[in-house]
Amino acid sequence: MADRVDRGTASAVGAAPRRRAGWRAPGGGTAKRTRERSAWTRGRVIAGLAAVTAGLLAFHRTVPNSVGRVGSLLESFLPWLGLVVVALLGLALLRRSATALITLLLPVAAWTYLFGGLVLPGDGPGTRDLVVVQHNVSDENPDPAGTARALADARPDLIALQELVPGALPVYERTLAARYPYHAVRGTVGLWSRYPLTGARLLDIRPRGVTDAWNRGLRTVVRTPYGDVAAFVAHLPSVRVRASGLASSLRDESAGLLGEAVAAEDLRTVILLGDLNGTVDDRGLAPITSRMNAAERGFAFSFPAAFPLARIDQVMARSATVVRIRALPATGSDHLPVAARIALG
């Protein structure tokens, strides 16, 4: 009996343990396949958000503007969707999601197509360049003389100003006179120039229903060494972001009038400098942007000065190229000045 027990015990001890079907040792093939499947199944929500972001970037013109001008509101801050892409990338890496990482290639490609060129270095100065400065100086600027000196220190050929109020206008005229002997002012906008100005006149871009003293447009001719250039200075109506959406109807109407004036200009080369209260991506400025070239390089966010979120101060050109635009240091205004180099054709 003892011998049978001993043999039975030895047989039990020596027998290999039974394994459940499909079981693999740690690090085996099934566990590896499980990890691989998880990498492709994790992060589906992140991938979905990446696809939506890519769609907004690539097809922002299809976002309707009928209710609250949501399309224009999106386009006003379109470059900032790049931060959404960065945030989604961080989440995808945290989740180790292959699906999300691959899907993120879509918004990266869309953002690069729209805005990648703006971050590239521009060409060097040319022999037929104009340097211009555009600035809404603010009707509440506490230091107009300091603002004028700061703009002149950038050594531009032209300086365009908006919100020139009667009390500050003599200060700008006096401070800029030495370097800029030619200037023209109509209403609250003006242009100072190193070169002679001729044919200055008021540009009527007043929306219907605006009955008060509202003169915010100027057209003149700059006699540059490279030929005559029609210069437009404009200040379009303000927009407001409300709970109901973007209130921009007056701005849009004024933009249409400005676009018509540009289209009717006889001189071949035209430059536009102004506070247009909209970005170049905003479809509300399409009557202008469809007829003029915007800057090829530079973001130059200009408003608000304390934390710039968008460039609403614009420099555009027809039959010329706005090579690069950049923001200048803050002045006493709620806008930052922008400086641009324009290559004349």
Side-chain angles (χ1 to χ4, degrees):
M1 174 69 73
D3 185 60
R4 288 198 296 272
V5 171
D6 290 341
R7 287 198 300 270
T9 302
S11 175
V13 171
R18 294 189 176 185
R19 297 171 181 173
R20 293 188 301 272
W23 183 88
R24 293 292 186 272
T30 301
K32 182 177 180 181
R33 285 194 296 272
T34 300
R35 288 197 300 271
E36 289 173 350
R37 284 198 298 270
S38 297
W40 289 103
T41 56
R42 283 194 300 258
R44 288 178 176 176
V45 173
I46 301 172
L49 292 174
V52 170
T53 304
L56 291 175
L57 284 164
F59 305 108
H60 57 90
R61 292 295 188 195
T62 65
V63 177
N65 228 13
S66 54
V67 179
R69 287 181 164 78
V70 176
S72 285
L73 184 59
L74 168 67
E75 289 159 350
S76 297
F77 303 101
L78 200 60
W80 292 100
L81 286 182
L83 290 184
V84 176
V85 177
V86 173
L88 292 176
L89 174 61
L91 291 174
L93 292 173
L94 188 64
R95 292 281 291 151
R96 298 181 181 179
S97 169
T99 300
L101 288 172
I102 289 179
T103 309
L104 276 166
L105 293 175
L106 296 175
V108 168
W111 192 95
T112 302
Y113 176 78
L114 291 172
F115 305 112
L118 297 177
V119 302
L120 297 176
D123 297 331
T127 58
R128 295 169 57 86
D129 286 356
L130 283 180
V131 177
V132 302
V133 162
Q134 148 62 29
H135 192 28
N136 179 328
V137 295
S138 175
D139 55 6
E140 298 179 349
N141 193 320
D143 185 18
T147 296
R149 287 193 295 268
L151 301 180
D153 286 345
R155 299 189 177 279
D157 301 300
L158 303 174
I159 298 176
L161 304 180
Q162 297 83 44
E163 293 199 10
L164 293 169
V165 293
L169 177 57
V171 179
Y172 288 105
E173 291 175 328
R174 183 170 58 251
T175 308
L176 294 172
R179 295 187 187 178
Y180 301 92
Y182 309 100
H183 78 280
V185 176
R186 296 294 184 274
T188 57
V189 302
L191 182 69
W192 275 255
S193 174
R194 291 177 53 209
Y195 307 120
L197 302 177
T198 63
R201 60 176 173 82
L202 181 68
L203 187 66
D204 187 6
I205 55 173
R206 181 190 310 208
R208 293 185 302 272
V210 177
T211 58
D212 57 353
W214 197 96
N215 296 315
R216 294 186 177 186
L218 164 69
R219 183 267 185 192
T220 188
V221 176
V222 186
R223 310 298 297 269
T224 79
Y226 323 112
D228 289 353
V229 174
F232 289 73
V233 181
H235 183 190
L236 300 190
S238 299
V239 301
R240 295 289 184 269
V241 180
R242 300 171 178 164
S244 58
L246 190 71
S248 64
S249 58
L250 293 179
R251 191 277 314 270
D252 296 351
E253 183 180 347
S254 191
L257 295 172
L258 181 56
E260 292 173 2
V262 170
E265 174 57 50
D266 292 331
L267 282 177
R268 177 175 177 270
T269 304
V270 179
I271 60 174
L272 168 64
L273 305 100
D275 174 4
L276 303 189
N277 273 303
T279 69
V280 295
D281 300 303
D282 186 343
R283 71 191 70 177
L285 297 187
I288 304 167
T289 54
S290 63
R291 295 180 167 103
M292 308 196 80
N293 304 315
E296 295 182 343
R297 300 286 186 269
F299 282 101
F301 294 150
S302 64
F303 185 83
F307 189 80
L309 294 173
R311 186 177 81 239
I312 62 175
D313 295 273
Q314 306 294 349
V315 176
M316 301 184 192
R318 186 183 78 184
S319 298
T321 302
V322 185
V323 178
R324 189 172 186 83
I325 191 167
R326 60 188 176 93
L328 297 177
T331 66
S333 173
D334 55 342
H335 291 241
L336 293 181
V338 297
R341 182 163 56 87
I342 301 175
L344 301 179

